[in-house]
Every structure is written in structure tokens, then in C-alpha cells.
Amino acid sequence: MNVNKKTVIFNYMVNHNKDKLNETFHALSDSTRREMVRMMAQKERTVSELAEPFDMSLAGISKHIKVLERAKLLERSVNGRTHLCRLNTESLSQATEWLRFYERFWNNRFDLLESELLTAKKKEH
């Protein structure tokens, strides 16, 4: 019975992490949001500063900001009427970790392929 509880907890953690990763990649799938992330990587930005480069209404920008917030890529603080947005690098680092796994996977596969090709070439000569 105790084993089942651990399994349920483990499965919840896997699903929870998968959901967070899905939210992150969904948020990064849009070029406007990727540009906003890039801007916030340089420094904190107000909503108006984030909106400035785009030919879009503040309502449209606000929707993009909400997607970034849901993905936990953006943290917003309010000081009076000013909304400051900053990048949350923790969510971004989880996506980077996921991508690095596959980078290592493919690098290993290409190294094996290169080794096989070199072996085959040596056998030809």
C-alpha cells in the first residue's frame, strides 16, 4: 500500500513537470513572446516598454504577458500604476535542461555514426 502512494506521488510529479514544460514551450512558440523574453533578459521592463516594439494594442500585449506569466517565465510586480516585468530564469532553465538532454542524445548518436563511418572507411582501404 505504501508503494502505491509513492507511485502516485511520482506520477503526479512527472505529469506536473510535463505540464510546466508544455506551458513553457507553448509560451515560447510565439515570436512576440520570445522577443519579450529576450527584452526582459536584458533588464526589467514595464508593460509599456514590452509593448513598444510591437504594432499591437495594450490588450494584445496583455494577453501575451498573461501567457508568459502562466508559464512562469515572467514575474510581475506592481508599484502604483506601473507594472514591472522580469524574467523568471527558473522556468527557462527547466526548458534548457530538457533541450540539453536531447542535445547530448543526438551528439552521442552522431559520434557513434562518425565512428562507424571511419571504421567502414578504414576497411575499404
Side-chain angles (χ1 to χ4, degrees):
M1 185 169 197
N2 195 13
V3 172
N4 289 338
K5 286 183 181 181
K6 287 181 183 179
T7 303
V8 170
I9 291 169
F10 174 75
N11 287 339
Y12 170 77
M13 289 171 59
V14 168
N15 288 335
H16 180 68
N17 287 337
K18 183 176 66 173
D19 291 344
K20 284 176 64 177
L21 204 52
N22 287 346
E23 287 286 334
T24 300
F25 282 117
H26 167 71
L28 295 173
S29 70
D30 182 84
S31 62
T32 299
R33 293 190 291 267
R34 286 192 307 272
E35 179 61 18
M36 293 170 126
V37 166
R38 189 196 64 75
M39 292 169 66
M40 289 183 296
Q42 295 170 346
K43 67 175 188 172
E44 287 184 349
R45 305 285 179 151
T46 64
V47 171
S48 297
E49 288 173 326
L50 287 175
E52 189 177 306
F54 306 104
D55 185 23
M56 192 179 300
S57 68
L58 280 177
I61 289 297
S62 180
K63 288 179 183 179
H64 283 293
I65 288 172
K66 287 177 184 174
V67 170
L68 291 169
E69 280 181 307
R70 247 190 327 272
K72 302 208 182 334
L73 289 168
L74 179 150
E75 294 176 347
R76 187 188 331 205
S77 60
V78 181
N79 186 7
R81 294 181 62 178
T82 304
H83 290 234
L84 271 178
C85 302
R86 79 186 63 71
L87 184 62
N88 175 4
T89 57
E90 177 61 31
S91 288
L92 205 51
S93 68
Q94 290 172 358
T96 301
E97 183 181 321
W98 186 87
L99 290 168
R100 281 193 182 128
F101 170 83
Y102 286 99
E103 178 184 31
R104 286 188 304 271
F105 170 81
W106 284 111
N107 283 338
N108 288 336
R109 303 301 286 177
F110 287 133
D111 288 346
L112 286 170
L113 176 60
E114 181 180 35
S115 176
E116 290 295 321
L117 291 173
L118 289 173
T119 301
K121 189 174 183 177
K122 285 180 185 176
K123 287 181 181 178
E124 284 179 5
H125 297 321

